[in-house]
Amino acid sequence: MPLLLFHSPKGGVGSTFLAAHCAMELAARGHEPIAIDFTYQGSLKLFFGLLPDQPIVRAGDDSEEELVAAGVELLDGYRLGRKAAFLKMLADPDASPFPSDKLIIADVAAADHALKQALLPHAVLQVCTITPGPVALASLTKVDPAQPLAELQKTLIVVNLLDDTRTLARHSNIFLHSAFERLLAGTVRQDEAVNEAVAKFETLERFRPTSAALADVRAVVTALEEHCNLGPRKEGEEG
Amino acid sequence: MMRSDAEALLKKLGQKDFRYQEFADRFGDTELWPLFEALLQDERLVGRPVSRIDAKRVTRERAALATVHPLPKKPEASSEEDRVTPALDVAAGETHPIGDGELDAFLGRMTPGR
Ligand SMILES: Nc1ncnc2c1ncn2[C@@H]1O[C@H](COP(=O)(O)OP(=O)(O)OP(=O)(O)O)[C@@H](O)[C@H]1O
Ligand SMILES: [Mg+2]
């Protein structure tokens, strides 16, 4: 099953938020995803309504019982992402570093460019989150070190944290959708309910089912499904 | 209401269901941010830029633009009005219609690989 790699050259744009919510939405659509948090920060779990001190099962550790939240199995991949043996395996393009029957969502920190590059050959898709502002826009020049953004085949861009009362944000959003239309998977509006849900240890879905950001994430997930040929899967389906 | 030139541009781009159309941003306004243009000329984003002939055409159009819209001469604002007039409103005025040529030039720069 495919690896969906969430990485952006710019930090703080909501890459982890998006990875978490795409995983939850894919679970709701019957995909049984595993979300691996490869970051030192370890904040992916917060978007699942978990507490900061909630221990997460380490990726590669079979002795612990699996932790499933909102239909998503959560794994802490920080150490794994630093293991020489793992990186060596990733260096082999024919290797299968992840279970073949699962959909893997990987959250990789912005600064961890090396790990992103190592995982990319094994991914069907890189989701690059970007905020509609000049610094984030400029960072798009760094999505891939070797290939121009417009030519990337397995990258989708998601604009996040759009505040449409701001002129430059609106213009940036239009600019991105127009100039890189093929790569754009959607725009997610800024919505304080995202943070409120985290502070209440609830999922956004539970805390504010009518959240604008949640509705936008659903549209993004449909675009991801289409791009990766995942196809919506409903309960009871085999395979 | 969306200006017809912006509408035409969006149509050309094949984005009839453009999500943020309702905000009625005139598409030409986005030209006000030099960053956008810089990014559209950045090889790391758009790959190999337009051919040399195209590049020349863009330069000519830019030169024409420059004569039509000279930069403000006095950097220091002499009156209250000068100080508060944002660039957006200046460009939105009747003196800065977005003609087809400009639109095409912008489009040429907008669409990678054209
Ligand atoms: N659509 C949104 N509306 C409101 N707040 C959001 C939205 N998306 C993300 N946030 C908030 O923005 C902050 C940054 O999000 P997140 O941690 O996901 O970013 P990141 O790109 O993963 O950052 P880092 O570089 O630290 O990994 C968080 O507080 C998150 O709750
Ligand atoms: Mg993060």
Side-chain angles (χ1 to χ4, degrees):
Chain A
M1 276 296 272
L3 165 67
L4 306 185
L5 182 53
F6 285 74
H7 177 268
S8 167
K10 177 83 181 71
V13 293
S15 204
T16 299
F17 151 80
L18 198 70
H21 284 88
C22 285
M24 284 184 267
E25 180 60 21
L26 285 163
R29 297 184 189 194
H31 289 291
E32 295 181 42
I34 299 179
I36 310 179
D37 185 343
F38 281 102
T39 74
Y40 172 71
Q41 195 178 141
S43 53
L44 186 78
K45 64 185 176 192
L46 300 178
F47 295 103
F48 289 83
L50 301 178
L51 277 66
D53 64 357
Q54 169 71 50
I56 304 295
V57 181
R58 273 199 207 139
D61 183 351
D62 295 333
S63 65
E64 287 179 78
E65 217 173 296
E66 62 184 39
L67 173 71
V68 178
V72 180
E73 185 181 343
L74 293 178
L75 290 174
D76 174 358
Y78 180 65
R79 286 190 178 215
L80 180 69
R82 253 126 211 98
K83 272 205 179 118
F86 181 64
L87 294 171
K88 201 173 160 195
M89 172 157 62
L90 293 181
D92 174 4
D94 296 325
S96 324
F98 302 107
S100 58
D101 58 335
K102 300 279 187 175
L103 175 63
I104 310 285
I105 308 278
D107 179 26
V108 178
D112 209 350
H113 186 252
L115 180 60
K116 175 246 155 178
Q117 285 299 109
L119 286 167
L120 192 58
H122 304 280
V124 284
L125 180 68
Q126 175 190 353
V127 178
C128 177
T129 309
I130 205 82
T131 46
V135 178
L137 245 60
S139 79
L140 283 175
T141 58
K142 301 283 187 125
V143 173
D144 190 289
Q147 247 188 313
L149 184 72
E151 289 167 20
L152 298 179
Q153 292 306 315
K154 52 181 190 184
T155 301
L156 287 181
I157 297 168
V158 176
V159 182
N160 184 34
L161 282 159
L162 175 70
D163 173 357
D164 51 45
T165 65
R166 310 228 168 237
T167 305
L168 180 53
R170 270 199 322 272
H171 287 176
S172 299
N173 187 46
I174 292 175
F175 167 79
L176 284 166
H177 278 267
S178 310
F180 303 103
E181 189 194 5
R182 183 183 65 80
L183 299 174
L184 261 287
T187 293
V188 179
R189 283 164 285 179
Q190 184 177 317
D191 179 358
E192 190 53 14
V194 169
N195 295 308
E196 290 168 355
V198 171
K200 291 228 175 204
F201 302 133
E202 284 180 31
T203 63
L204 185 55
E205 164 85 78
R206 214 189 119 101
F207 172 72
R208 183 76 44 82
T210 56
S211 153
L214 198 57
D216 294 339
V217 166
R218 290 193 183 114
V220 166
V221 169
T222 299
L224 301 192
E225 278 184 329
E226 276 168 17
H227 188 273
C228 303
N229 261 322
L230 296 178
R233 283 175 44 169
K234 286 289 160 226
E235 263 162 63
E237 250 181 69
E238 291 297 313
Chain B
M1 252 307 277
M2 187 172 262
R3 266 175 56 157
S4 60
D5 47 15
E7 215 165 68
L9 178 56
L10 287 168
K11 219 177 254 164
K12 254 183 178 171
L13 287 163
Q15 300 186 359
K16 287 171 211 84
D17 57 345
F18 197 74
R19 289 183 58 192
Y20 293 92
Q21 248 179 7
E22 67 259 34
F23 297 120
D25 275 305
R26 288 175 315 101
F27 205 80
D29 285 349
T30 59
E31 283 191 89
L32 289 174
W33 310 108
L35 174 70
F36 294 172
E37 193 175 344
L39 292 178
L40 289 170
Q41 288 167 7
D42 193 313
E43 291 193 23
R44 294 167 299 174
L45 284 185
V46 296
R48 220 160 343 103
V50 283
S51 73
R52 278 170 67 186
I53 287 174
D54 282 347
K56 275 199 179 125
R57 181 163 54 230
V58 170
T59 313
R60 264 214 313 280
E61 272 158 2
R62 284 175 54 81
L65 266 173
T67 45
V68 178
H69 312 289
L71 287 170
K73 277 186 193 106
K74 343 162 255 189
E76 76 288 4
S78 57
S79 72
E80 183 70 11
E81 202 187 323
D82 280 347
R83 236 175 294 133
V84 296
T85 303
L88 208 95
D89 292 348
V90 172
E94 284 304 303
T95 51
H96 191 181
I98 300 171
D100 272 352
E102 261 179 85
L103 213 62
D104 280 343
F106 189 45
L107 250 182
R109 283 178 279 140
M110 288 303 284
T111 315
R114 245 171 77 115

